[in-house]
Amino acid sequence: MGKGGGCVPSKKRQLPTTTVAAAPSSSSATAVPRDAPEEALDASTGESRRTLRLYIVFYSMYGHVEALARHAAAGAGAVQGVEVVLRRVPETLSPEVLEKMQAPSKDPTVPVISAPADLEEADGVLFGFPTRYGAMAAQMKAFFDSTGSLWEKQRLAGKPAGFFVSTGTQGGGQETTAWTAITQLVHHGMLFIPIGYTFGSGMFNMDDIRGGSPYGAGVFAGDGSRQPSEAELALAEHQGKYMAAFVKKLGHA
């Protein structure tokens, strides 16, 4: 998230205290065994189909992106045959710097992704991150920069992927952050899946301030004291469900 122009983290804020806790989550969404996905019987054909995995990989400094991630996980978890894996990327700032920035402690129930190679297990990925000057935060960029071995062998090619973001203001980069992030997917040969206007009338509501765009869900964080609105959380949940359905369609094609 950002302050002012929507790009630079604020050092003076009221810390979010309820957003993440109030967001829906489950143990299956945060701690998934690393063994092979289970197979389920297709009721229409009687054939065995393996469970597909949607990874939701995010960075959240103050909790706003994490709230979207949890709601996206809830939406995706409602799609039968798709398993949700919720992971955060490694922090690059020292504890001392995070303390000065008044960043709250990370929720230990959401594991740090152990290695970029874990993405090979995914049938689709949703990436979430705050913006810094219209582009993804350095923590997420550092994670993408560590995927060179996957790029070299094109291990992620053909996997569907999408984005959700957080900005400080309405002009802070809700769309440009996604635009600039698409380059990461292109080099990996991944398929960018925007939500378009599939959220229906919720995309056209002008009565309330709402983050998000046709590129994906989003939240306006302000100086950090503003919590995600019900509309923003609902859009994140929709994106999770939409992406999971897409993963299922491609995985069983």
Short mmCIF file of all heavy atoms in Angstrom, two decimals, residues 54 68 80 123 130 139 166 244:
data_model
loop_
_atom_site.label_atom_id
_atom_site.label_comp_id
_atom_site.label_asym_id
_atom_site.label_seq_id
_atom_site.Cartn_x
_atom_site.Cartn_y
_atom_site.Cartn_z
N LEU A 54 -4.54 -24.51 -6.63
CA LEU A 54 -4.40 -23.08 -6.89
C LEU A 54 -3.55 -22.49 -5.78
O LEU A 54 -3.95 -22.50 -4.61
CB LEU A 54 -5.76 -22.40 -6.93
CG LEU A 54 -5.73 -20.86 -7.04
CD1 LEU A 54 -5.05 -20.42 -8.33
CD2 LEU A 54 -7.13 -20.27 -6.94
N LEU A 68 -7.21 -9.62 1.30
CA LEU A 68 -7.68 -10.01 -0.01
C LEU A 68 -7.30 -11.46 -0.31
O LEU A 68 -8.11 -12.22 -0.88
CB LEU A 68 -7.08 -9.11 -1.09
CG LEU A 68 -7.43 -7.61 -1.05
CD1 LEU A 68 -6.84 -6.91 -2.28
CD2 LEU A 68 -8.92 -7.38 -0.97
N GLN A 80 -15.32 -27.15 -6.22
CA GLN A 80 -15.01 -28.55 -6.00
C GLN A 80 -13.89 -29.02 -6.91
O GLN A 80 -13.85 -28.69 -8.09
CB GLN A 80 -16.26 -29.41 -6.24
CG GLN A 80 -16.09 -30.88 -5.88
CD GLN A 80 -17.38 -31.66 -6.05
OE1 GLN A 80 -18.37 -31.15 -6.55
NE2 GLN A 80 -17.37 -32.92 -5.62
N ASP A 123 -1.32 -25.66 -10.28
CA ASP A 123 -2.02 -25.70 -11.56
C ASP A 123 -2.44 -24.29 -11.98
O ASP A 123 -2.88 -24.07 -13.11
CB ASP A 123 -3.23 -26.61 -11.47
CG ASP A 123 -2.84 -28.05 -11.20
OD1 ASP A 123 -2.35 -28.71 -12.13
OD2 ASP A 123 -2.99 -28.51 -10.05
N PRO A 130 1.36 -5.17 -2.72
CA PRO A 130 1.13 -3.72 -2.73
C PRO A 130 1.95 -3.09 -3.84
O PRO A 130 2.83 -3.72 -4.42
CB PRO A 130 1.62 -3.27 -1.35
CG PRO A 130 2.64 -4.29 -0.97
CD PRO A 130 2.22 -5.59 -1.59
N GLN A 139 9.63 -6.86 -2.38
CA GLN A 139 9.62 -8.22 -1.85
C GLN A 139 9.09 -9.21 -2.88
O GLN A 139 9.64 -10.31 -3.05
CB GLN A 139 8.79 -8.28 -0.56
CG GLN A 139 9.43 -7.58 0.62
CD GLN A 139 9.14 -6.09 0.65
OE1 GLN A 139 8.65 -5.50 -0.32
NE2 GLN A 139 9.43 -5.45 1.77
N SER A 166 -2.78 -3.72 -3.75
CA SER A 166 -3.15 -2.71 -2.77
C SER A 166 -2.42 -1.42 -3.11
O SER A 166 -1.23 -1.44 -3.46
CB SER A 166 -2.75 -3.15 -1.36
OG SER A 166 -2.85 -2.09 -0.43
N ALA A 244 -10.21 -20.27 -9.74
CA ALA A 244 -10.29 -21.70 -9.47
C ALA A 244 -11.10 -22.42 -10.56
O ALA A 244 -10.73 -23.53 -10.98
CB ALA A 244 -10.92 -21.93 -8.11
#
